[in-house]
Structure formats: C-alpha cells, structure tokens
Amino acid sequence: MIEPNDATPSTRAAQAALAARLPADDEADFALARRGFVATIEGAAVGNAWSQAPFGFLDGERPDTVNPSLWRQARLNTIHGLFEVCPRIYQVRGFDISNVTFIEGETGYIVIDPLTSAEPAAAALELMKRERGDRPIVAVIYTHSHVDHYGGILGVLPDAADGRVPIIAPEGFTRAAVSENVLLGNVMGRRATYMYGALLRPGPCGHVDSGLGKGVSRGAVSLVAPTVSITRTDERLTIDGVEIVFQLTPDTEAPAEMNFFFPQMGALCMAENCSCHLHNLYTPRGAQVRDARAWAHYIDEARHLWAGETQVLFASHHWPRWGSEAADAFLRKQRDLYRYVHDQSLRLANHGLVPAEIAEQLDLPPALAAEWYTRGYYGTLNHNAKAVYQRYLGWFDGNPAHLHPLPPEEAGARYVALAGGAEALLEKARAAFEAGDYRWVAELVNHLVFADPDNEAARLLQAATLEQMGYQAESGPWRDFYLTGAQELRHPMPKSPVPRQGSAGQLRTLGAADLLDALTVRLNGPRAAEAACAMTLQFSDTGQSFDLWVENAVLHAEPGNRFARVAIDRRTLVDLVIGMIEPDAAREAGHVSGPGTGELEALLPLLDRFDFWFPIVTP
C-alpha cells in the first residue's frame, strides 16, 4: 500500500495565502449549529452504515494537507444530534449527509426528508422518540428528488409501499428521481464514489468533509413513490393539525423541488435551495445542469412570501437561522449568489469567452465574498460558471477544432509522441511539479496515462499531482475527486471477467412502469439489431400487465395484454436482469411461468449488465 505524501512547500504556501484572505471568524456559525441541542448517540454511530467517530482528528490542529476554509466547514459538520429548531420542530443533523426533520402533530410525527438510507433514518427516529415520545408517523414529505432526501424512507416507515401513510412530494418527483438515480444509476453511482470519497479513509490525507455534510451513509436505499403531489405554489395542506403552505421551485437545486412554510410556528423550510455554502449548478457526479436564474427567482419569491413572518429558517442541510431579519439577509445574499454567477457568466460569454476562460475570470463581489455561507464548499465558482455556459450554449465552445476531437487514448499517444516520447514528457512534467504547477502537470501526464496506463512512473506522478490539488481544494467534492483519483492510480481496480454490480435497491422498489422504463437503457442496440421478441408481463405483486417488445433495436413497454403471457414479480425481474438468479432457477422456484417465458429468456441476453467499477482515471 503506497501511503499518501505530505503537503509540498507549494501547497503549504497556497494554504497560508488562502487563510490570509478568508473572512473573519467570530464563531457565530458554531453557535448556530449547536443551538437547541437536545441529545445524541455517541459518535452518531449506526452500525456499518454511519459514524462520526472516524472524524475525531478534526478536534486537533489543522494540517497543511487540508484547505483552511474546508477544515472550518468540516468541523461544523461534525456537530451532530437532535436539535430543537423551534417548539414542535426538531432536526437530527450529522447522521448522514442530509438532515431529517420531525414535526410534532396532534397525534404523531411528520417526517421531512428521511435521509439517504434506512439505518441512520431509523436511528434518528429512535432518538426523536426517546427524547420526545413514541408517536406514529402520520406523513412523510420529500422536499426534492435527490436520493439523500428519500432513500431512507423504509427506516422511518417500513410499510411505506402500502400507501396508508401519505408521502408528499413536488410534482414530477418520481420522473426526476428515476431519470437521475436509476436511468444513469450505474455511472452516477460510480462517479459518486469519487465525489463523496467513499473509498478514502477519513483523515488529514483522506476524506475530510463533503461540504454539504460529513459524507453519505452506506445503508439500504429505496425509492418509494409519493402518494400526494404538490402541483402549485400556495397549495395548502393540514396534516395532523399542522398547516403547511407550499412553494414549487422546479429546475432549481433539483428538477422537482419545493419550499414550504409553517404559519403556526413561523418556520420556513428552504429545502436544499439555501444552504450554508455555494451549491452546485452542475454536480460533478453528473446530472442535468441546474437553472441559476430560476434558482435565484424562487429564493426571492420565498422571501416575498414569508420572510416577514419567518421566525426560523431551516433547510435540508446545515443549521438554521433565527429571526426575520437574519432570514431575510440570508435569503437576499443566497439569491444574489446564484444570480451573480448566472449573469456574469453570460456577460462574459457574450464577450466571446469560452467556459474555461469565464471560470478563470469570475470572482464574487466583496459583499458576497464576505460571507462564509457563499463559499465553494460543495459547488465552486469555477465549475458553476462552466455550467451556466453549458445550459445556454451546450458543450461546444464554437471553435471548429473542438467539434470532433480525438478520443483520449488516441490523442494521448499523439501528444506523447509530440513531446518526444514518455521519458521526455515525464522530465518536463517533473520540473513543473517541482515548481508547483500542478494543473499543468495533471493535464500533461494524463496524456501519457491514457496512452500507456501500464507506465507506473506516469501513474505515480499523476497521483502525486492530484493529491496536492486535493489538499489545496476548498470544495469537499473536488478534494475527494482528486484524492480518489490519486488512490486509484496508485492502486488500480483489478479487472474482472464479469460485470461487478452496484446496488439494486432503488430498482427493486420502483413501480412496474418505471422499472420497465429503466430497463430500456440496458438494451444493447447493436446486439438487438435483428431481434424481435415480444411478451406480456403480468406482475404478480401489483396485478398490472405490460406489453414488452423489441422493435428497431429499441425496447418498448406499455400497459397492455397483446402478447404471450409471463407471470413474474418485480423483484424476480430485477434479479434476472442483473444476474442474481438464472432463468432455470427462477422457473424451478415458480417465480416465472407462462407461455411467454421463452420470449423473456430470449430478451435477457440482449440486456447489458453494467460494471460498477469501470475505470475513470485510466482508459
């Protein structure tokens, strides 16, 4: 095992220079993050799914291997437990990357955002019941369509799928959740291992923080569709005696998202539209680019609707702010943060600057830069400026030389030859490394790694370079991307003769229509070019029938009963597709039957099985 390097003199100088430019710290955020503390579980430990204990090193002095600003945010995100937001509203923070909020109704609890996975969600509920009484769950609210706000549903509501307890979400929730987390679940999940440092050991040279929270829990993830959709702003519901007024905010932090206000408590929930940092307009794990202009608009709309009545503003991450004046000031600067990135990126684009040029020029104005809650702990000015350009103008920057570039391996070989060969390129790269010119080293050596991934000297130099870039990063995701890349260059993932599966948890809990829609992206078009198979799937667990057929190398699915019948349940279908069970065994166990079984067995070899551990920093 190759151990991490220490910070170089160049990195130490960069950390010191940033520390001198940071806002003054009066510790006010630490007071806000601790306010209302009720109780916690020691270390927030939840089996193998979650624990704050490995982050005890944050109690010490900051090492030169961690950006000073990120170190501060990381310390804030270690504060964990059950907190009173205001009478009748409580949050459990620090048990996952997100917060879970409990509202005390007349007879039970309303749960807002049940975390990423079931185990920490269950632990949070147990803590709430221990401190505030054992009451039933009377409703669940998903603020938006990202997995860390719905994936733990079965931890607070094990029988969620039976529909007896209302699950409330913004219009378009299920479509957005399936599109982002299921259709692209494999590639996004793999990239998320980089973004959240899942493979890094917590420590001064490893994972420190995700900016948005400490990190992502590793328990059981499910997707249970909502039973109630909020379709308009100012829609009102009264649940167990609690009045809630909703504001739809589509295409902001998520494609389907909503804020809401509790008039009885003067409490404003801003979902994930306002958190204590600059958020992502583009998330490096991969997702649709977000609309910064709409984001700013909806923050301002919420301010106009409720800031004057707000006694406490809370969100799905980080800590609340108390008082109408503080809430209004926070909303104004969060609004202008996203609007500034939007407007200035487009201004520079209209001058003809391309994304990389815009990103180098963009700085926040002094009034915004003076706040800790505008800093790039999660999103960054650099990649958000590029995202604005992409949303309006796409990936192409207008230069015809960039219309049809060579793929990385072929381009890499030619750049290496142009440099005079591998040793000549490495000699230049080592000199740049000694000078602290890490961005150039990463770009240069990447060509050699893709031209010759077996060149150990190249991999190790690239790893050392990414490591220093990670140490300097203020953004938690940037740090984790750099350090995970360095780790995999030093210790490449072993190759496998068969695809290595990721989690199928969300597939297993999808409705039948969404499940079949998710399978369409697995059809191997070239392999299915001459295929023609058709069947009617009768789902024994839902009673629904769907026609499924291949035509023109496209997999189609729609409700119907036109073809030969296959009786099957959704779990068995998922297991067949991902290879957890073979067709013969499924038939013998009685999980699959009917005259269309042969058609299903003809379809299965046409569906790809995705390898979760595909390479990223090598070809």
Side-chain angles (χ1 to χ4, degrees), residues 19 133 270 310 447 591:
M270 288 300 293
T310 295
H447 288 306
H591 297 315

Side-chain angles (χ1 to χ4, degrees), residues 63-400:
D64 289 325
T65 54
V66 183
N67 178 287
S69 182
L70 180 61
W71 181 263
R72 177 185 183 274
Q73 184 79 350
R75 291 181 59 239
L76 282 161
N77 283 332
T78 61
I79 299 170
H80 59 81
L82 176 68
F83 299 83
E84 183 185 61
V85 175
C86 67
R88 299 178 65 185
I89 300 181
Y90 292 80
Q91 282 191 320
V92 173
R93 302 197 289 271
F95 278 47
D96 204 331
I97 196 170
S98 51
N99 303 333
V100 56
T101 304
F102 299 97
I103 313 298
E104 295 181 341
E106 293 176 355
T107 65
Y109 295 129
I110 302 167
V111 179
I112 302 173
D113 287 352
L115 306 180
T116 308
S117 62
E119 292 85 343
L125 177 59
E126 182 181 354
L127 178 60
M128 178 68 179
K129 287 182 174 181
R130 188 187 82 189
E131 299 298 326
R132 298 296 301 170
D134 188 356
R135 297 180 174 191
I137 303 302
V138 295
V140 174
I141 299 175
Y142 299 149
T143 60
H144 62 290
S145 53
H146 291 153
V147 67
D148 52 323
H149 302 274
Y150 67 76
I153 177 69
L154 298 185
V156 297
L157 198 62
D159 300 325
D162 65 18
R164 286 182 294 178
V165 174
I167 301 174
I168 303 156
E171 184 177 34
F173 170 91
T174 301
R175 179 182 178 87
V178 170
S179 173
E180 182 163 318
N181 298 293
V182 180
L183 295 183
L184 287 170
N186 193 69
V187 61
M188 193 177 294
R190 171 67 169 122
R191 286 172 56 160
T193 65
Y194 271 61
M195 181 166 170
Y196 298 107
L199 305 178
L200 300 173
R201 287 180 296 183
C205 294
H207 177 69
V208 168
D209 199 69
S210 293
L212 198 59
K214 206 86 236 112
V216 180
S217 66
R218 301 182 183 185
V221 179
S222 300
L223 172 51
V224 178
T227 60
V228 178
S229 290
I230 301 301
T231 61
R232 59 180 173 81
T233 291
D234 205 35
E235 190 168 343
R236 295 168 183 258
L237 293 177
T238 300
I239 303 168
D240 199 30
V242 178
E243 185 181 2
I244 311 173
V245 188
F246 294 90
Q247 177 203 17
L248 280 185
T249 65
D251 295 320
T252 51
E253 191 272 335
E257 189 149 354
M258 60 186 183
N259 304 323
F260 38 91
F261 185 67
F262 297 91
Q264 293 148 302
M265 287 80 95
L268 173 59
C269 175
M270 288 300 293
E272 203 168 323
N273 287 318
C274 286
S275 43
C276 298
H277 56 23
L278 170 62
H279 211 298
N280 285 315
L281 298 179
Y282 165 77
T283 177
R285 64 184 161 83
Q288 294 179 13
V289 170
R290 298 157 186 177
D291 187 342
R293 193 168 187 268
W295 199 330
H297 163 75
Y298 286 118
I299 292 174
D300 202 41
E301 183 178 67
R303 189 179 70 82
H304 283 292
L305 286 169
W306 298 307
E309 303 171 59
T310 295
Q311 297 306 307
V312 61
L313 182 156
F314 67 96
S316 300
H317 295 270
H318 301 139
W319 45 93
R321 297 187 181 282
W322 285 267
S324 178
E325 185 176 339
D328 185 65
F330 180 69
L331 291 172
R332 285 174 182 269
K333 289 196 173 179
Q334 287 279 304
R335 171 200 66 191
D336 291 343
L337 176 63
Y338 297 103
R339 190 58 190 261
Y340 185 86
V341 176
H342 173 275
D343 292 354
Q344 296 307 307
S345 296
L346 292 190
R347 178 181 69 84
L348 293 171
N350 276 303
H351 280 296
L353 276 68
V354 300
E357 295 169 327
I358 296 171
E360 293 302 307
Q361 288 203 15
L362 198 62
D363 285 310
L364 290 181
L368 294 177
E371 302 291 351
W372 289 102
Y373 59 72
T374 64
R375 299 199 69 83
Y377 299 122
Y378 196 57
T380 70
L381 281 175
N382 190 287
H383 76 251
N384 280 346
K386 296 168 184 173
V388 173
Y389 188 103
Q390 180 184 332
R391 182 173 181 90
Y392 283 89
L393 293 167
W395 60 266
F396 179 48
D397 64 5
N399 184 337

